[in-house]
Amino acid sequence: MGHWFYNNFVEPGKLPMLLALASFVITFLVTRTVTRMIRAGRGPFKNVAPGGMHIHHVVPGVILAVVGGFVSLGGDRRSVTACVGAVIFGVGVGLVLDEFALILHLDDVYWTEQGRQSVEVVVLAAALALLVLAGSSPLGVNELTPDERQNRASLILTLVGNFLLVIVTLFKGKLRMAMIGVLVPFVAVVGAVRLARPGSPWARRVYRRRPRARARSVLRATRHDRRWGGLRRRFQDLIGGAPDRLPTRRH
């Protein structure tokens, strides 16, 4: 086990990223547990509000992410400094992304329907980090043969082609597939070929004079949301807590 761990994480210099991912996930889970306890009025935890001003945990999160990022970059990937900085960075990112919806909407939406976006972003970020740890490379560069790597033209064409697929997927309203497609090009191919989501920039422009395509897009999106929407909401409620029926002011 130790030999496997050394060969797959320590020797390739992936230990800091593994530590950052672990601290990121643990911080998010602990933060959600604490905020849910505050919401329910249980335990010793209280909101931090010096002078009556509530301090959101995104504030220390930003500070920790910046400090941890600089500390990690300042040392060799196999050094203790890089590992310590990675842990600090992961904690900071966990605090920041837990309040991603607040940053996006510039409003206190933590326990509202919009607050679910924080959970989605955290899950997506963790999935992307796992893909990188597993050896995936942005835009599929790791899939090139040695000859293709030496051929600059092939490398540029591969990067541009995959990048265009990701952009098309994004314009079709498939953010998750676009982000994963950066690391797994096949996902970007699927997203670019399939119908766009209703209301996406692609659907508004390309399907404007194609009623059949527009109708198929709406039908497919409705079936997809009906099949997976309830499961996704239950999963979000499980790890992030169910939102309030009416917007309230924080925990």
Side-chain angles (χ1 to χ4, degrees), residues 149-212:
R149 289 177 183 273
Q150 293 180 0
N151 188 333
R152 188 170 299 179
S154 298
L155 176 61
I156 293 175
L157 286 175
T158 300
L159 288 172
V160 172
N162 289 338
F163 178 74
L164 290 177
L165 290 173
V166 170
I167 294 298
V168 171
T169 303
L170 187 62
F171 271 83
K172 285 192 171 185
K174 304 172 183 180
L175 176 61
R176 301 180 191 90
M177 295 188 72
M179 295 185 68
I180 295 176
V182 173
L183 298 174
V184 185
F186 176 75
V187 176
V189 173
V190 174
V193 171
R194 291 175 65 85
L195 287 169
R197 293 279 302 182
S200 65
W202 186 280
R204 290 197 302 268
R205 178 174 293 272
V206 179
Y207 299 163
R208 182 171 50 187
R209 298 183 180 180
R210 298 173 58 189
R212 285 189 178 182

Side-chain angles (χ1 to χ4, degrees), residues 5-17:
F5 184 82
Y6 179 85
N7 287 338
N8 288 275
F9 294 101
V10 179
E11 196 277 332
K14 291 184 177 181
L15 183 57
M17 184 157 192

